Amino acid sequence: MRKILIVSHDNLAQGMFNFLNMILGKQKNIDFINAYVDDITLEEKVNSYMDNNKNCEIIVVTDLYGGSVNNYFMENIDKYHLITGMNAVMLLTLSIKLDSNETTESIIEEAITSAKEGIIYCNKIQLDSNEDDF
């Protein structure tokens, strides 16, 4: 079974998790960890999660490359798939494809491509659209 673990500084992970549940309905194979919000260390939270999901293929999605959360996961990168720079489009794509027969690597590549394509400077589109009107 594949699972997604969303991990971030503060409450961003929970916010993304709530967003996915609002859009897609309750997701049983998606979890989150908020780092640095209480007295439980990131290491303790991650170890507990991994111990409870030993038989799962885990896709870890973090908020920021080079940040302390992502750096923590870089130390054991051979135990899971790690993606950073999370955004809503990336998480939606991963979530929708999670139970497919596609390889995990292809799902991740598709999610990254979708995430990049979803970043749009809307003012530029509006300006281009106005120019076409003349």
Side-chain angles (χ1 to χ4, degrees):
M1 170 189 319
R2 283 189 200 127
K3 294 186 93 172
I4 298 170
L5 176 61
I6 307 167
V7 191
S8 73
H9 298 83
D10 207 69
N11 294 306
L12 178 61
Q14 185 173 0
M16 289 294 202
F17 174 82
N18 291 342
F19 164 78
L20 290 172
N21 284 316
M22 181 187 75
I23 300 294
L24 301 174
K26 177 70 177 139
Q27 299 297 298
K28 62 181 166 100
N29 293 327
I30 302 173
D31 300 298
F32 70 90
I33 293 175
N34 293 326
Y36 315 119
V37 295
D38 52 30
D39 293 334
I40 305 169
T41 67
L42 177 59
E43 182 177 12
E44 290 171 312
K45 291 178 181 183
V46 172
N47 286 342
S48 174
Y49 182 83
M50 293 301 177
D51 286 345
N52 291 324
N53 292 282
K54 286 181 181 177
N55 296 324
C56 297
E57 183 179 20
I58 308 294
I59 302 170
V60 178
V61 183
T62 65
D63 52 358
L64 179 67
Y65 181 74
S68 57
V69 172
N70 191 75
N71 288 345
Y72 174 81
F73 283 96
M74 293 288 289
E75 294 174 10
N76 293 299
I77 201 163
D78 60 321
K79 296 181 180 179
Y80 35 73
H81 302 272
L82 179 61
I83 312 169
T84 193
M86 80 167 98
N87 68 27
V89 174
M90 174 194 292
L91 289 169
L92 280 169
T93 304
L94 286 172
S95 301
I96 291 167
K97 297 281 192 162
L98 197 58
D99 293 329
S100 78
N101 291 329
E102 297 176 55
T103 66
T104 302
E105 290 80 8
S106 68
I107 292 168
I108 289 170
E109 289 299 327
E110 184 176 344
I112 291 170
T113 299
S114 296
K116 289 176 183 178
E117 290 173 354
I119 299 171
I120 300 167
Y121 180 32
C122 295
N123 292 51
K124 176 96 171 97
I125 292 172
Q126 185 62 38
L127 290 173
D128 291 344
S129 175
N130 288 340
E131 290 173 7
D132 291 343
D133 292 341
F134 291 105

